[in-house]
Each structure stands twice: as C-alpha cells, then as structure tokens.
Amino acid sequence: DTAVSQTPKYLVTQMGNDKSIKCEQNLGHDTMYWYKQDSKKFLKIMFSYNNKELIINETVPNRFSPKSPDKAHLNLHINSLELGDSAVYFCASSQRRGTSIYTFGSGTRLTVV
Amino acid sequence: GENVEQHPSTLSVQEGDSAVIKCTYSDSASNYFPWYKQELGKRPQLIIDIRSNVGEKKDQRIAVTLNKTAKHFSLHITETQPEDSAVYFCAASDSGYSTLTFGKGTMLLVSP
C-alpha cells in the first residue's frame, strides 16, 4: 500500500482551465501539506492542514484552494490556470506539524499550455 | 519566518570521495533539522535528521553536524557512490506549529 498517494501523476491542461489534484494518506497522520517544486527544484510550502486548521502561505494566489473532506485527504483545486503554475506539486503528511518526519507523495507534474 | 540557505547548489565528486553540503538557518527557535534526498523523477525522502540537543549524528556513510551557536548544520557523505547522485535538501523547523522550511537544494553528481 502506498502511504501517500496522489492522482493524477501527470496533468496537461490549457490556460484558464480549472483542475484538481487529489491526495490521500493511510498513515493516520494528523497533518497534511502541499508543496510546489518549480523548475529549479525549490520546494515551497503552499498549505498545511491540521485538525481542520488551515495555514496558508501568504504568497500563494487565491486561485489555489485546498479542500479536506476528512483527515486522510487533502485535495488541491486550482482555478484559472496560468503558464506559471506549471510545476511538480507534492502532497506530504506528518504525524504532527513541525518536528515530524514528512512522507511525500510521488508528485503531480502539471503542465499548463 | 524561517529562512534556510543551502550551499553549494551543485557538487561534483569522484566515486569514493567525500561530499559536504552546508546549510544556515535564521530562526534561533528552530530545533529540528532533517535532510531529504530526491532522486531524479522521484519524491523527496528523509535520509537523516538531527535535533538541537545533539551535535552530531551518524548513519553508516552519512552524518549530520549541528552548530546551534552559529546556526548552521551540514551533511557529510563519505565514500560516495554513483547511487548517491541526487538532489539533497536541508530543512528546519521549530517544535511549535511551523512547517518545514527547505533549502534550495544541492545537486550531487558522483562520477564513477
């Protein structure tokens, strides 16, 4: 069983479209995250979600919105996609925020054309 | 917020040599410092971590050192092998509610 699974693995879409990326963890962790990895490999935190408490990185455009139907899922919805949104998006989870080991999903490569 | 600087951005070594990657952090409250390895096309995976009550930690060929006074920590890989080639990320966080802040990564290339 994959501990943190993301779907889809690849996503190619046109500018202006709306898309979602799904993430599920079966580790029983309390906290989930979304990270964006750009072409220079920089891992930038977008959101963290813990017991219904959402912490947003203030630099993330409000076109991005996380949705968590339950503790095991944290989906990422993106409205009005732009070329600059092209990146690899990683979901991760940890037992708790801060000092726990992060388990990453396999990533979703988003290409906006 | 926390800021983590990582150097070098690229490191090329011959197989069998040692490799050292250095990071500095800004928040004196940070007390957890993990290192992640990301192979090409794969997910980042934890390889070693250190907490502020420890100055050095070893696991086979890898070791991490921490200098809290200077706010820097380093990853040491000895007897490098081609399979060590990857991007390595340092990170830092405190014991509160902060998320991990990652450095910008070091691409390590080990030539046979």
Side-chain angles (χ1 to χ4, degrees), chain A residues 33 35 37 41 90 97-99 101-102 104-106, chain B residues 36 38 43-44 51 89 93-94 96-100:
Chain A
Y33 312 85
Y35 277 84
Q37 187 170 48
K41 301 297 184 182
F90 283 100
R97 195 176 283 149
T99 59
I101 296 170
Y102 282 27
F104 283 85
S106 57
Chain B
Y36 283 78
Q38 185 179 24
R43 72 192 76 193
R51 300 182 188 273
F89 293 94
S93 73
D94 65 28
Y97 289 99
S98 66
T99 56
L100 282 179

mmCIF file with all atom_site columns, all heavy atoms in Angstrom, chain A residues 33 35 37 41 90 97-99 101-102 104-106, chain B residues 36 38 43-44 51 89 93-94 96-100:
data_model
loop_
_atom_site.group_PDB
_atom_site.id
_atom_site.type_symbol
_atom_site.label_atom_id
_atom_site.label_alt_id
_atom_site.label_comp_id
_atom_site.label_asym_id
_atom_site.label_entity_id
_atom_site.label_seq_id
_atom_site.pdbx_PDB_ins_code
_atom_site.Cartn_x
_atom_site.Cartn_y
_atom_site.Cartn_z
_atom_site.occupancy
_atom_site.B_iso_or_equiv
_atom_site.pdbx_formal_charge
_atom_site.auth_seq_id
_atom_site.auth_comp_id
_atom_site.auth_asym_id
_atom_site.auth_atom_id
_atom_site.pdbx_PDB_model_num
ATOM 1   N N   . TYR A 1 33  ? 0.129  18.466 3.831   1.00 0.00 ? 33  TYR A N   1
ATOM 2   C CA  . TYR A 1 33  ? 0.732  19.659 3.233   1.00 0.00 ? 33  TYR A CA  1
ATOM 3   C C   . TYR A 1 33  ? 0.659  19.570 1.711   1.00 0.00 ? 33  TYR A C   1
ATOM 4   O O   . TYR A 1 33  ? 0.594  18.484 1.136   1.00 0.00 ? 33  TYR A O   1
ATOM 5   C CB  . TYR A 1 33  ? 2.227  19.748 3.595   1.00 0.00 ? 33  TYR A CB  1
ATOM 6   C CG  . TYR A 1 33  ? 2.557  19.537 5.039   1.00 0.00 ? 33  TYR A CG  1
ATOM 7   C CD1 . TYR A 1 33  ? 2.726  18.255 5.549   1.00 0.00 ? 33  TYR A CD1 1
ATOM 8   C CD2 . TYR A 1 33  ? 2.740  20.616 5.895   1.00 0.00 ? 33  TYR A CD2 1
ATOM 9   C CE1 . TYR A 1 33  ? 3.042  18.047 6.881   1.00 0.00 ? 33  TYR A CE1 1
ATOM 10  C CE2 . TYR A 1 33  ? 3.067  20.411 7.231   1.00 0.00 ? 33  TYR A CE2 1
ATOM 11  C CZ  . TYR A 1 33  ? 3.217  19.133 7.712   1.00 0.00 ? 33  TYR A CZ  1
ATOM 12  O OH  . TYR A 1 33  ? 3.537  18.937 9.035   1.00 0.00 ? 33  TYR A OH  1
ATOM 13  N N   . TYR A 1 35  ? 3.195  21.120 -1.325  1.00 0.00 ? 35  TYR A N   1
ATOM 14  C CA  . TYR A 1 35  ? 4.406  21.836 -1.692  1.00 0.00 ? 35  TYR A CA  1
ATOM 15  C C   . TYR A 1 35  ? 4.441  21.972 -3.211  1.00 0.00 ? 35  TYR A C   1
ATOM 16  O O   . TYR A 1 35  ? 4.000  21.073 -3.941  1.00 0.00 ? 35  TYR A O   1
ATOM 17  C CB  . TYR A 1 35  ? 5.666  21.089 -1.249  1.00 0.00 ? 35  TYR A CB  1
ATOM 18  C CG  . TYR A 1 35  ? 6.057  21.319 0.182   1.00 0.00 ? 35  TYR A CG  1
ATOM 19  C CD1 . TYR A 1 35  ? 5.476  20.576 1.202   1.00 0.00 ? 35  TYR A CD1 1
ATOM 20  C CD2 . TYR A 1 35  ? 7.006  22.275 0.518   1.00 0.00 ? 35  TYR A CD2 1
ATOM 21  C CE1 . TYR A 1 35  ? 5.838  20.785 2.527   1.00 0.00 ? 35  TYR A CE1 1
ATOM 22  C CE2 . TYR A 1 35  ? 7.380  22.493 1.844   1.00 0.00 ? 35  TYR A CE2 1
ATOM 23  C CZ  . TYR A 1 35  ? 6.790  21.746 2.841   1.00 0.00 ? 35  TYR A CZ  1
ATOM 24  O OH  . TYR A 1 35  ? 7.149  21.954 4.144   1.00 0.00 ? 35  TYR A OH  1
ATOM 25  N N   . GLN A 1 37  ? 7.111  22.428 -6.372  1.00 0.00 ? 37  GLN A N   1
ATOM 26  C CA  . GLN A 1 37  ? 8.519  22.360 -6.763  1.00 0.00 ? 37  GLN A CA  1
ATOM 27  C C   . GLN A 1 37  ? 8.659  22.896 -8.173  1.00 0.00 ? 37  GLN A C   1
ATOM 28  O O   . GLN A 1 37  ? 8.157  22.307 -9.119  1.00 0.00 ? 37  GLN A O   1
ATOM 29  C CB  . GLN A 1 37  ? 9.050  20.934 -6.681  1.00 0.00 ? 37  GLN A CB  1
ATOM 30  C CG  . GLN A 1 37  ? 10.565 20.854 -6.927  1.00 0.00 ? 37  GLN A CG  1
ATOM 31  C CD  . GLN A 1 37  ? 11.131 19.482 -6.613  1.00 0.00 ? 37  GLN A CD  1
ATOM 32  O OE1 . GLN A 1 37  ? 10.600 18.457 -7.022  1.00 0.00 ? 37  GLN A OE1 1
ATOM 33  N NE2 . GLN A 1 37  ? 12.241 19.455 -5.874  1.00 0.00 ? 37  GLN A NE2 1
ATOM 34  N N   . LYS A 1 41  ? 13.894 23.221 -8.794  1.00 0.00 ? 41  LYS A N   1
ATOM 35  C CA  . LYS A 1 41  ? 13.832 22.221 -7.730  1.00 0.00 ? 41  LYS A CA  1
ATOM 36  C C   . LYS A 1 41  ? 13.515 22.778 -6.351  1.00 0.00 ? 41  LYS A C   1
ATOM 37  O O   . LYS A 1 41  ? 13.583 22.044 -5.373  1.00 0.00 ? 41  LYS A O   1
ATOM 38  C CB  . LYS A 1 41  ? 15.138 21.408 -7.649  1.00 0.00 ? 41  LYS A CB  1
ATOM 39  C CG  . LYS A 1 41  ? 15.488 20.683 -8.929  1.00 0.00 ? 41  LYS A CG  1
ATOM 40  C CD  . LYS A 1 41  ? 14.440 19.657 -9.289  1.00 0.00 ? 41  LYS A CD  1
ATOM 41  C CE  . LYS A 1 41  ? 14.838 18.865 -10.518 1.00 0.00 ? 41  LYS A CE  1
ATOM 42  N NZ  . LYS A 1 41  ? 13.785 17.898 -10.907 1.00 0.00 ? 41  LYS A NZ  1
ATOM 43  N N   . PHE A 1 90  ? 3.733  18.431 -4.802  1.00 0.00 ? 90  PHE A N   1
ATOM 44  C CA  . PHE A 1 90  ? 3.876  17.301 -3.895  1.00 0.00 ? 90  PHE A CA  1
ATOM 45  C C   . PHE A 1 90  ? 2.936  17.457 -2.704  1.00 0.00 ? 90  PHE A C   1
ATOM 46  O O   . PHE A 1 90  ? 2.896  18.507 -2.051  1.00 0.00 ? 90  PHE A O   1
ATOM 47  C CB  . PHE A 1 90  ? 5.306  17.207 -3.362  1.00 0.00 ? 90  PHE A CB  1
ATOM 48  C CG  . PHE A 1 90  ? 6.298  16.634 -4.332  1.00 0.00 ? 90  PHE A CG  1
ATOM 49  C CD1 . PHE A 1 90  ? 7.129  17.476 -5.053  1.00 0.00 ? 90  PHE A CD1 1
ATOM 50  C CD2 . PHE A 1 90  ? 6.400  15.268 -4.510  1.00 0.00 ? 90  PHE A CD2 1
ATOM 51  C CE1 . PHE A 1 90  ? 8.053  16.961 -5.952  1.00 0.00 ? 90  PHE A CE1 1
ATOM 52  C CE2 . PHE A 1 90  ? 7.328  14.739 -5.401  1.00 0.00 ? 90  PHE A CE2 1
ATOM 53  C CZ  . PHE A 1 90  ? 8.149  15.588 -6.121  1.00 0.00 ? 90  PHE A CZ  1
ATOM 54  N N   . ARG A 1 97  ? 2.596  18.679 13.096  1.00 0.00 ? 97  ARG A N   1
ATOM 55  C CA  . ARG A 1 97  ? 3.302  19.764 12.440  1.00 0.00 ? 97  ARG A CA  1
ATOM 56  C C   . ARG A 1 97  ? 4.628  20.035 13.134  1.00 0.00 ? 97  ARG A C   1
ATOM 57  O O   . ARG A 1 97  ? 4.762  19.830 14.319  1.00 0.00 ? 97  ARG A O   1
ATOM 58  C CB  . ARG A 1 97  ? 2.431  21.020 12.498  1.00 0.00 ? 97  ARG A CB  1
ATOM 59  C CG  . ARG A 1 97  ? 2.850  22.138 11.565  1.00 0.00 ? 97  ARG A CG  1
ATOM 60  C CD  . ARG A 1 97  ? 1.842  23.272 11.663  1.00 0.00 ? 97  ARG A CD  1
ATOM 61  N NE  . ARG A 1 97  ? 0.630  22.968 10.934  1.00 0.00 ? 97  ARG A NE  1
ATOM 62  C CZ  . ARG A 1 97  ? -0.579 23.416 11.286  1.00 0.00 ? 97  ARG A CZ  1
ATOM 63  N NH1 . ARG A 1 97  ? -0.713 24.139 12.356  1.00 0.00 ? 97  ARG A NH1 1
ATOM 64  N NH2 . ARG A 1 97  ? -1.623 23.132 10.557  1.00 0.00 ? 97  ARG A NH2 1
ATOM 65  N N   . GLY A 1 98  ? 5.617  20.460 12.365  1.00 0.00 ? 98  GLY A N   1
ATOM 66  C CA  . GLY A 1 98  ? 6.853  20.948 12.979  1.00 0.00 ? 98  GLY A CA  1
ATOM 67  C C   . GLY A 1 98  ? 8.000  19.965 12.974  1.00 0.00 ? 98  GLY A C   1
ATOM 68  O O   . GLY A 1 98  ? 8.897  20.045 12.172  1.00 0.00 ? 98  GLY A O   1
ATOM 69  N N   . THR A 1 99  ? 7.998  19.016 13.866  1.00 0.00 ? 99  THR A N   1
ATOM 70  C CA  . THR A 1 99  ? 9.201  18.208 14.020  1.00 0.00 ? 99  THR A CA  1
ATOM 71  C C   . THR A 1 99  ? 9.016  16.754 13.610  1.00 0.00 ? 99  THR A C   1
ATOM 72  O O   . THR A 1 99  ? 9.833  15.917 13.927  1.00 0.00 ? 99  THR A O   1
ATOM 73  C CB  . THR A 1 99  ? 9.672  18.248 15.478  1.00 0.00 ? 99  THR A CB  1
ATOM 74  O OG1 . THR A 1 99  ? 8.615  17.734 16.303  1.00 0.00 ? 99  THR A OG1 1
ATOM 75  C CG2 . THR A 1 99  ? 10.026 19.654 15.904  1.00 0.00 ? 99  THR A CG2 1
ATOM 76  N N   . ILE A 1 101 ? 8.595  13.579 10.872  1.00 0.00 ? 101 ILE A N   1
ATOM 77  C CA  . ILE A 1 101 ? 9.068  13.152 9.561   1.00 0.00 ? 101 ILE A CA  1
ATOM 78  C C   . ILE A 1 101 ? 7.955  13.348 8.536   1.00 0.00 ? 101 ILE A C   1
ATOM 79  O O   . ILE A 1 101 ? 6.817  12.966 8.777   1.00 0.00 ? 101 ILE A O   1
ATOM 80  C CB  . ILE A 1 101 ? 9.490  11.671 9.614   1.00 0.00 ? 101 ILE A CB  1
ATOM 81  C CG1 . ILE A 1 101 ? 10.675 11.511 10.565  1.00 0.00 ? 101 ILE A CG1 1
ATOM 82  C CG2 . ILE A 1 101 ? 9.837  11.161 8.216   1.00 0.00 ? 101 ILE A CG2 1
ATOM 83  C CD1 . ILE A 1 101 ? 11.001 10.064 10.872  1.00 0.00 ? 101 ILE A CD1 1
ATOM 84  N N   . TYR A 1 102 ? 8.297  13.944 7.416   1.00 0.00 ? 102 TYR A N   1
ATOM 85  C CA  . TYR A 1 102 ? 7.343  14.124 6.328   1.00 0.00 ? 102 TYR A CA  1
ATOM 86  C C   . TYR A 1 102 ? 7.424  12.915 5.387   1.00 0.00 ? 102 TYR A C   1
ATOM 87  O O   . TYR A 1 102 ? 8.521  12.496 5.012   1.00 0.00 ? 102 TYR A O   1
ATOM 88  C CB  . TYR A 1 102 ? 7.681  15.371 5.518   1.00 0.00 ? 102 TYR A CB  1
ATOM 89  C CG  . TYR A 1 102 ? 7.284  16.691 6.126   1.00 0.00 ? 102 TYR A CG  1
ATOM 90  C CD1 . TYR A 1 102 ? 7.176  16.866 7.507   1.00 0.00 ? 102 TYR A CD1 1
ATOM 91  C CD2 . TYR A 1 102 ? 7.025  17.786 5.317   1.00 0.00 ? 102 TYR A CD2 1
ATOM 92  C CE1 . TYR A 1 102 ? 6.824  18.080 8.047   1.00 0.00 ? 102 TYR A CE1 1
ATOM 93  C CE2 . TYR A 1 102 ? 6.676  19.022 5.856   1.00 0.00 ? 102 TYR A CE2 1
ATOM 94  C CZ  . TYR A 1 102 ? 6.583  19.159 7.220   1.00 0.00 ? 102 TYR A CZ  1
ATOM 95  O OH  . TYR A 1 102 ? 6.237  20.366 7.752   1.00 0.00 ? 102 TYR A OH  1
ATOM 96  N N   . PHE A 1 104 ? 6.284  12.079 1.632   1.00 0.00 ? 104 PHE A N   1
ATOM 97  C CA  . PHE A 1 104 ? 5.815  12.743 0.426   1.00 0.00 ? 104 PHE A CA  1
ATOM 98  C C   . PHE A 1 104 ? 5.094  11.763 -0.490  1.00 0.00 ? 104 PHE A C   1
ATOM 99  O O   . PHE A 1 104 ? 5.418  10.572 -0.550  1.00 0.00 ? 104 PHE A O   1
ATOM 100 C CB  . PHE A 1 104 ? 6.988  13.354 -0.340  1.00 0.00 ? 104 PHE A CB  1
ATOM 101 C CG  . PHE A 1 104 ? 7.506  14.636 0.256   1.00 0.00 ? 104 PHE A CG  1
ATOM 102 C CD1 . PHE A 1 104 ? 8.442  14.612 1.276   1.00 0.00 ? 104 PHE A CD1 1
ATOM 103 C CD2 . PHE A 1 104 ? 7.055  15.861 -0.216  1.00 0.00 ? 104 PHE A CD2 1
ATOM 104 C CE1 . PHE A 1 104 ? 8.925  15.790 1.826   1.00 0.00 ? 104 PHE A CE1 1
ATOM 105 C CE2 . PHE A 1 104 ? 7.531  17.044 0.330   1.00 0.00 ? 104 PHE A CE2 1
ATOM 106 C CZ  . PHE A 1 104 ? 8.465  17.017 1.355   1.00 0.00 ? 104 PHE A CZ  1
ATOM 107 N N   . GLY A 1 105 ? 4.137  12.304 -1.230  1.00 0.00 ? 105 GLY A N   1
ATOM 108 C CA  . GLY A 1 105 ? 3.555  11.564 -2.336  1.00 0.00 ? 105 GLY A CA  1
ATOM 109 C C   . GLY A 1 105 ? 4.512  11.574 -3.519  1.00 0.00 ? 105 GLY A C   1
ATOM 110 O O   . GLY A 1 105 ? 5.581  12.195 -3.459  1.00 0.00 ? 105 GLY A O   1
ATOM 111 N N   . SER A 1 106 ? 4.128  10.904 -4.588  1.00 0.00 ? 106 SER A N   1
ATOM 112 C CA  . SER A 1 106 ? 5.018  10.769 -5.739  1.00 0.00 ? 106 SER A CA  1
ATOM 113 C C   . SER A 1 106 ? 5.004  11.982 -6.660  1.00 0.00 ? 106 SER A C   1
ATOM 114 O O   . SER A 1 106 ? 5.775  12.049 -7.603  1.00 0.00 ? 106 SER A O   1
ATOM 115 C CB  . SER A 1 106 ? 4.656  9.512  -6.536  1.00 0.00 ? 106 SER A CB  1
ATOM 116 O OG  . SER A 1 106 ? 3.299  9.589  -6.927  1.00 0.00 ? 106 SER A OG  1
ATOM 117 N N   . TYR B 2 36  ? 16.670 15.600 3.268   1.00 0.00 ? 36  TYR B N   1
ATOM 118 C CA  . TYR B 2 36  ? 15.913 14.773 2.334   1.00 0.00 ? 36  TYR B CA  1
ATOM 119 C C   . TYR B 2 36  ? 16.721 14.581 1.054   1.00 0.00 ? 36  TYR B C   1
ATOM 120 O O   . TYR B 2 36  ? 17.421 15.472 0.599   1.00 0.00 ? 36  TYR B O   1
ATOM 121 C CB  . TYR B 2 36  ? 14.565 15.430 1.994   1.00 0.00 ? 36  TYR B CB  1
ATOM 122 C CG  . TYR B 2 36  ? 13.537 15.289 3.096   1.00 0.00 ? 36  TYR B CG  1
ATOM 123 C CD1 . TYR B 2 36  ? 13.585 16.099 4.228   1.00 0.00 ? 36  TYR B CD1 1
ATOM 124 C CD2 . TYR B 2 36  ? 12.520 14.339 3.000   1.00 0.00 ? 36  TYR B CD2 1
ATOM 125 C CE1 . TYR B 2 36  ? 12.657 15.960 5.243   1.00 0.00 ? 36  TYR B CE1 1
ATOM 126 C CE2 . TYR B 2 36  ? 11.582 14.195 4.009   1.00 0.00 ? 36  TYR B CE2 1
ATOM 127 C CZ  . TYR B 2 36  ? 11.656 15.008 5.130   1.00 0.00 ? 36  TYR B CZ  1
ATOM 128 O OH  . TYR B 2 36  ? 10.724 14.869 6.136   1.00 0.00 ? 36  TYR B OH  1
ATOM 129 N N   . GLN B 2 38  ? 16.317 13.505 -2.988  1.00 0.00 ? 38  GLN B N   1
ATOM 130 C CA  . GLN B 2 38  ? 15.348 13.350 -4.072  1.00 0.00 ? 38  GLN B CA  1
ATOM 131 C C   . GLN B 2 38  ? 16.075 12.871 -5.323  1.00 0.00 ? 38  GLN B C   1
ATOM 132 O O   . GLN B 2 38  ? 16.830 13.623 -5.946  1.00 0.00 ? 38  GLN B O   1
ATOM 133 C CB  . GLN B 2 38  ? 14.610 14.666 -4.355  1.00 0.00 ? 38  GLN B CB  1
ATOM 134 C CG  . GLN B 2 38  ? 13.512 14.515 -5.393  1.00 0.00 ? 38  GLN B CG  1
ATOM 135 C CD  . GLN B 2 38  ? 12.760 15.811 -5.652  1.00 0.00 ? 38  GLN B CD  1
ATOM 136 O OE1 . GLN B 2 38  ? 13.283 16.909 -5.432  1.00 0.00 ? 38  GLN B OE1 1
ATOM 137 N NE2 . GLN B 2 38  ? 11.529 15.705 -6.099  1.00 0.00 ? 38  GLN B NE2 1
ATOM 138 N N   . ARG B 2 43  ? 10.155 11.155 -5.386  1.00 0.00 ? 43  ARG B N   1
ATOM 139 C CA  . ARG B 2 43  ? 9.736  12.012 -4.278  1.00 0.00 ? 43  ARG B CA  1
ATOM 140 C C   . ARG B 2 43  ? 10.892 12.256 -3.319  1.00 0.00 ? 43  ARG B C   1
ATOM 141 O O   . ARG B 2 43  ? 11.784 11.426 -3.209  1.00 0.00 ? 43  ARG B O   1
ATOM 142 C CB  . ARG B 2 43  ? 8.587  11.341 -3.528  1.00 0.00 ? 43  ARG B CB  1
ATOM 143 C CG  . ARG B 2 43  ? 9.005  10.129 -2.686  1.00 0.00 ? 43  ARG B CG  1
ATOM 144 C CD  . ARG B 2 43  ? 7.810  9.335  -2.191  1.00 0.00 ? 43  ARG B CD  1
ATOM 145 N NE  . ARG B 2 43  ? 7.235  8.520  -3.250  1.00 0.00 ? 43  ARG B NE  1
ATOM 146 C CZ  . ARG B 2 43  ? 6.046  7.936  -3.162  1.00 0.00 ? 43  ARG B CZ  1
ATOM 147 N NH1 . ARG B 2 43  ? 5.302  8.105  -2.089  1.00 0.00 ? 43  ARG B NH1 1
ATOM 148 N NH2 . ARG B 2 43  ? 5.595  7.189  -4.149  1.00 0.00 ? 43  ARG B NH2 1
ATOM 149 N N   . PRO B 2 44  ? 10.893 13.353 -2.584  1.00 0.00 ? 44  PRO B N   1
ATOM 150 C CA  . PRO B 2 44  ? 11.904 13.547 -1.534  1.00 0.00 ? 44  PRO B CA  1
ATOM 151 C C   . PRO B 2 44  ? 11.702 12.519 -0.418  1.00 0.00 ? 44  PRO B C   1
ATOM 152 O O   . PRO B 2 44  ? 10.566 12.222 -0.030  1.00 0.00 ? 44  PRO B O   1
ATOM 153 C CB  . PRO B 2 44  ? 11.622 14.959 -1.017  1.00 0.00 ? 44  PRO B CB  1
ATOM 154 C CG  . PRO B 2 44  ? 10.825 15.615 -2.096  1.00 0.00 ? 44  PRO B CG  1
ATOM 155 C CD  . PRO B 2 44  ? 10.016 14.534 -2.721  1.00 0.00 ? 44  PRO B CD  1
ATOM 156 N N   . ARG B 2 51  ? 18.281 16.759 16.006  1.00 0.00 ? 51  ARG B N   1
ATOM 157 C CA  . ARG B 2 51  ? 17.546 17.694 16.857  1.00 0.00 ? 51  ARG B CA  1
ATOM 158 C C   . ARG B 2 51  ? 18.546 18.512 17.661  1.00 0.00 ? 51  ARG B C   1
ATOM 159 O O   . ARG B 2 51  ? 19.687 18.116 17.820  1.00 0.00 ? 51  ARG B O   1
ATOM 160 C CB  . ARG B 2 51  ? 16.571 16.936 17.749  1.00 0.00 ? 51  ARG B CB  1
ATOM 161 C CG  . ARG B 2 51  ? 15.568 16.168 16.930  1.00 0.00 ? 51  ARG B CG  1
ATOM 162 C CD  . ARG B 2 51  ? 14.541 15.417 17.735  1.00 0.00 ? 51  ARG B CD  1
ATOM 163 N NE  . ARG B 2 51  ? 13.747 14.559 16.850  1.00 0.00 ? 51  ARG B NE  1
ATOM 164 C CZ  . ARG B 2 51  ? 12.662 14.952 16.215  1.00 0.00 ? 51  ARG B CZ  1
ATOM 165 N NH1 . ARG B 2 51  ? 12.226 16.179 16.357  1.00 0.00 ? 51  ARG B NH1 1
ATOM 166 N NH2 . ARG B 2 51  ? 12.011 14.121 15.418  1.00 0.00 ? 51  ARG B NH2 1
ATOM 167 N N   . PHE B 2 89  ? 18.175 18.093 0.073   1.00 0.00 ? 89  PHE B N   1
ATOM 168 C CA  . PHE B 2 89  ? 17.559 19.275 0.676   1.00 0.00 ? 89  PHE B CA  1
ATOM 169 C C   . PHE B 2 89  ? 17.773 19.255 2.177   1.00 0.00 ? 89  PHE B C   1
ATOM 170 O O   . PHE B 2 89  ? 17.508 18.237 2.833   1.00 0.00 ? 89  PHE B O   1
ATOM 171 C CB  . PHE B 2 89  ? 16.046 19.295 0.431   1.00 0.00 ? 89  PHE B CB  1
ATOM 172 C CG  . PHE B 2 89  ? 15.641 19.477 -0.993  1.00 0.00 ? 89  PHE B CG  1
ATOM 173 C CD1 . PHE B 2 89  ? 15.376 18.379 -1.798  1.00 0.00 ? 89  PHE B CD1 1
ATOM 174 C CD2 . PHE B 2 89  ? 15.511 20.747 -1.530  1.00 0.00 ? 89  PHE B CD2 1
ATOM 175 C CE1 . PHE B 2 89  ? 14.997 18.541 -3.133  1.00 0.00 ? 89  PHE B CE1 1
ATOM 176 C CE2 . PHE B 2 89  ? 15.130 20.918 -2.859  1.00 0.00 ? 89  PHE B CE2 1
ATOM 177 C CZ  . PHE B 2 89  ? 14.871 19.811 -3.646  1.00 0.00 ? 89  PHE B CZ  1
ATOM 178 N N   . SER B 2 93  ? 12.774 23.453 11.267  1.00 0.00 ? 93  SER B N   1
ATOM 179 C CA  . SER B 2 93  ? 11.505 23.871 11.849  1.00 0.00 ? 93  SER B CA  1
ATOM 180 C C   . SER B 2 93  ? 11.670 23.936 13.358  1.00 0.00 ? 93  SER B C   1
ATOM 181 O O   . SER B 2 93  ? 12.630 23.401 13.913  1.00 0.00 ? 93  SER B O   1
ATOM 182 C CB  . SER B 2 93  ? 10.366 22.912 11.484  1.00 0.00 ? 93  SER B CB  1
ATOM 183 O OG  . SER B 2 93  ? 10.504 21.710 12.192  1.00 0.00 ? 93  SER B OG  1
ATOM 184 N N   . ASP B 2 94  ? 10.699 24.567 14.012  1.00 0.00 ? 94  ASP B N   1
ATOM 185 C CA  . ASP B 2 94  ? 10.722 24.580 15.476  1.00 0.00 ? 94  ASP B CA  1
ATOM 186 C C   . ASP B 2 94  ? 9.710  23.553 15.988  1.00 0.00 ? 94  ASP B C   1
ATOM 187 O O   . ASP B 2 94  ? 9.059  22.863 15.217  1.00 0.00 ? 94  ASP B O   1
ATOM 188 C CB  . ASP B 2 94  ? 10.473 25.982 16.024  1.00 0.00 ? 94  ASP B CB  1
ATOM 189 C CG  . ASP B 2 94  ? 9.071  26.494 15.698  1.00 0.00 ? 94  ASP B CG  1
ATOM 190 O OD1 . ASP B 2 94  ? 8.132  25.681 15.538  1.00 0.00 ? 94  ASP B OD1 1
ATOM 191 O OD2 . ASP B 2 94  ? 8.919  27.714 15.601  1.00 0.00 ? 94  ASP B OD2 1
ATOM 192 N N   . GLY B 2 96  ? 7.009  24.022 17.451  1.00 0.00 ? 96  GLY B N   1
ATOM 193 C CA  . GLY B 2 96  ? 5.643  24.524 17.529  1.00 0.00 ? 96  GLY B CA  1
ATOM 194 C C   . GLY B 2 96  ? 4.822  24.091 16.346  1.00 0.00 ? 96  GLY B C   1
ATOM 195 O O   . GLY B 2 96  ? 4.869  22.951 15.930  1.00 0.00 ? 96  GLY B O   1
ATOM 196 N N   . TYR B 2 97  ? 4.128  25.013 15.763  1.00 0.00 ? 97  TYR B N   1
ATOM 197 C CA  . TYR B 2 97  ? 3.235  24.690 14.665  1.00 0.00 ? 97  TYR B CA  1
ATOM 198 C C   . TYR B 2 97  ? 3.803  25.041 13.297  1.00 0.00 ? 97  TYR B C   1
ATOM 199 O O   . TYR B 2 97  ? 3.089  25.029 12.307  1.00 0.00 ? 97  TYR B O   1
ATOM 200 C CB  . TYR B 2 97  ? 1.899  25.391 14.859  1.00 0.00 ? 97  TYR B CB  1
ATOM 201 C CG  . TYR B 2 97  ? 1.102  24.803 15.990  1.00 0.00 ? 97  TYR B CG  1
ATOM 202 C CD1 . TYR B 2 97  ? 1.085  25.391 17.239  1.00 0.00 ? 97  TYR B CD1 1
ATOM 203 C CD2 . TYR B 2 97  ? 0.390  23.619 15.796  1.00 0.00 ? 97  TYR B CD2 1
ATOM 204 C CE1 . TYR B 2 97  ? 0.356  24.834 18.263  1.00 0.00 ? 97  TYR B CE1 1
ATOM 205 C CE2 . TYR B 2 97  ? -0.339 23.059 16.819  1.00 0.00 ? 97  TYR B CE2 1
ATOM 206 C CZ  . TYR B 2 97  ? -0.353 23.668 18.064  1.00 0.00 ? 97  TYR B CZ  1
ATOM 207 O OH  . TYR B 2 97  ? -1.058 23.123 19.078  1.00 0.00 ? 97  TYR B OH  1
ATOM 208 N N   . SER B 2 98  ? 5.087  25.326 13.226  1.00 0.00 ? 98  SER B N   1
ATOM 209 C CA  . SER B 2 98  ? 5.636  25.721 11.932  1.00 0.00 ? 98  SER B CA  1
ATOM 210 C C   . SER B 2 98  ? 5.838  24.498 11.045  1.00 0.00 ? 98  SER B C   1
ATOM 211 O O   . SER B 2 98  ? 6.070  23.391 11.517  1.00 0.00 ? 98  SER B O   1
ATOM 212 C CB  . SER B 2 98  ? 6.955  26.456 12.110  1.00 0.00 ? 98  SER B CB  1
ATOM 213 O OG  . SER B 2 98  ? 7.931  25.584 12.623  1.00 0.00 ? 98  SER B OG  1
ATOM 214 N N   . THR B 2 99  ? 5.771  24.735 9.741   1.00 0.00 ? 99  THR B N   1
ATOM 215 C CA  . THR B 2 99  ? 6.068  23.683 8.779   1.00 0.00 ? 99  THR B CA  1
ATOM 216 C C   . THR B 2 99  ? 7.567  23.695 8.492   1.00 0.00 ? 99  THR B C   1
ATOM 217 O O   . THR B 2 99  ? 8.279  24.623 8.855   1.00 0.00 ? 99  THR B O   1
ATOM 218 C CB  . THR B 2 99  ? 5.306  23.914 7.482   1.00 0.00 ? 99  THR B CB  1
ATOM 219 O OG1 . THR B 2 99  ? 5.620  25.211 6.987   1.00 0.00 ? 99  THR B OG1 1
ATOM 220 C CG2 . THR B 2 99  ? 3.815  23.811 7.694   1.00 0.00 ? 99  THR B CG2 1
ATOM 221 N N   . LEU B 2 100 ? 8.028  22.625 7.849   1.00 0.00 ? 100 LEU B N   1
ATOM 222 C CA  . LEU B 2 100 ? 9.427  22.571 7.441   1.00 0.00 ? 100 LEU B CA  1
ATOM 223 C C   . LEU B 2 100 ? 9.693  23.631 6.382   1.00 0.00 ? 100 LEU B C   1
ATOM 224 O O   . LEU B 2 100 ? 8.940  23.761 5.425   1.00 0.00 ? 100 LEU B O   1
ATOM 225 C CB  . LEU B 2 100 ? 9.759  21.200 6.859   1.00 0.00 ? 100 LEU B CB  1
ATOM 226 C CG  . LEU B 2 100 ? 9.996  20.044 7.817   1.00 0.00 ? 100 LEU B CG  1
ATOM 227 C CD1 . LEU B 2 100 ? 10.284 18.776 7.031   1.00 0.00 ? 100 LEU B CD1 1
ATOM 228 C CD2 . LEU B 2 100 ? 11.129 20.354 8.779   1.00 0.00 ? 100 LEU B CD2 1
#
